[in-house]
Amino acid sequence: MTTPSASATASPSPPGPGPGSSSAPARRRGHRAAAEARAGLLLSLPFVLLFAVFIAWPVLQSMFMSFTDMRISDIRSPFAVDFVGLDNYIAAFEDPVFRRSAVNTGVFVLIGVPLTITAGLAAALALDRGVTRLRGVFRVGFYTPVVTSIVAVAVVWRFLLRPDNGLVNTVLGWVGIDGPNWLGDERTALLSLIVMAVWRNFGTSMVIFLAGLQAVDQQLHEAAALDGASAWQRFLNVTLPSIRPTMLFVMVTTSIGYLQFFEEPFVMTQGGPLHATISASMYTYNQFGFGNYGVAGAMAYLTFIVIGIVTLAQFRLMREK
């Protein structure tokens, strides 16, 4: 006769989840995660290589050049050049043409950015609320200059701004005004390029603003209208706060574009007359063309620093509002 304790000891233990069976799904999940990680790394490898070769390496190389006296004759032995510290940055500040180009770039930004944003927002408001049937036609018409070749635009604007028989001076002559040499006069050349740049670039702002306006809650407009708010009050208190992220994006991208102002003066005036329209980016490009790689690199990074400061200031300004 066996005791209960003895029978319990002798009976086989019921089957249950052992240590080996519980760890098998975990191991499978680990293998699957590792396989997915390897596949992700393999798929991202082309982008990493392209970024390293065409973006990271040129950035590091230009930064290295800005602290050396590297010229075009040293291009085959870049590590044999002499380290000059901040001499290139000091030389850039002491260059009167670079200072003139910095002032011109500041004028481009201070005048061009507000005009471009205002024109883009006005066109977007008109298309969003006013001209509904012809919205597509006007949208294409306003955006066409953005995608048009700068060379074709330059030919048209040179014809319009000719001092003798240009369309602008011809119209001014009808009302008894003797128009100036718009692109050949130091006093009017910069303004002419700004007007051309605003005309060519406000279509981009218009498209972005139009997308932002279509996302504004119309119930807010209806509630404000029921409270007796005028159209201007609804614009200030409902529309503008609702499109603040859009406004910030347009401000930042437009400012960066004008700080890198290059195509218009390069094609239209070559920086003349008397450096009246030369921009910082164009003068930096000229220094690269002359083989002054160290000074050109320093100028490029000074422009980069200014772009960073302006961008941070805009983010701070919009956050405070």
Side-chain angles (χ1 to χ4, degrees), residues 109-174:
V109 174
L110 292 176
I111 299 179
V113 172
L115 289 178
T116 302
I117 293 176
T118 303
L121 181 57
L125 287 170
L127 293 179
D128 185 57
R129 300 184 182 279
V131 192
T132 54
R133 293 184 178 179
L134 300 178
R135 178 183 299 175
V137 176
F138 280 96
R139 187 184 302 174
V140 172
F142 290 150
Y143 195 73
T144 299
V146 179
V147 297
T148 305
S149 169
I150 182 61
V151 177
V153 171
V155 172
V156 173
W157 275 83
R158 280 181 178 174
F159 171 76
L160 296 175
L161 299 175
R162 281 180 181 174
D164 299 329
N165 55 355
L167 181 61
V168 175
N169 282 355
T170 300
V171 173
L172 291 176
W174 293 344

Side-chain angles (χ1 to χ4, degrees), residues 128-272:
D128 185 57
R129 300 184 182 279
V131 192
T132 54
R133 293 184 178 179
L134 300 178
R135 178 183 299 175
V137 176
F138 280 96
R139 187 184 302 174
V140 172
F142 290 150
Y143 195 73
T144 299
V146 179
V147 297
T148 305
S149 169
I150 182 61
V151 177
V153 171
V155 172
V156 173
W157 275 83
R158 280 181 178 174
F159 171 76
L160 296 175
L161 299 175
R162 281 180 181 174
D164 299 329
N165 55 355
L167 181 61
V168 175
N169 282 355
T170 300
V171 173
L172 291 176
W174 293 344
V175 293
I177 299 176
D178 188 14
N181 185 0
W182 294 101
L183 296 176
D185 193 327
E186 188 179 359
R187 297 167 297 181
T188 57
L190 188 61
L191 178 62
S192 301
L193 289 185
I194 292 174
V195 172
M196 171 190 169
V198 171
W199 170 81
R200 185 169 182 262
N201 296 315
F202 85 94
T204 303
S205 304
M206 178 204 68
V207 171
I208 299 171
F209 277 129
L210 191 58
L213 290 173
Q214 292 176 352
V216 176
D217 189 356
Q218 295 302 317
Q219 293 182 353
L220 296 176
H221 276 284
E222 294 172 0
L226 289 175
D227 291 339
S230 63
W232 177 248
Q233 289 173 331
R234 293 199 301 273
F235 172 73
L236 289 180
N237 300 314
V238 177
T239 303
L240 280 183
S242 300
I243 63 170
R244 182 183 299 172
T246 307
M247 180 69 74
L248 175 62
F249 177 78
V250 173
M251 284 177 57
V252 170
T253 54
T254 305
S255 300
I256 292 175
Y258 276 94
L259 285 169
Q260 297 176 332
F261 204 60
F262 177 80
E263 294 176 331
E264 285 81 358
F266 183 79
V267 175
M268 294 288 291
T269 61
Q270 289 291 315

Side-chain angles (χ1 to χ4, degrees), residues 48-63 301:
V48 173
L49 291 176
L50 291 174
F51 178 83
V53 173
F54 294 105
I55 297 180
W57 172 246
V59 168
L60 295 176
Q61 190 178 30
S62 62
M63 183 179 294
Y301 277 95

Side-chain angles (χ1 to χ4, degrees), residues 16-36:
S21 59
S22 62
S23 62
R27 284 202 301 270
R28 285 196 295 270
R29 287 195 294 270
H31 291 320
R32 185 181 305 165
E36 292 177 351

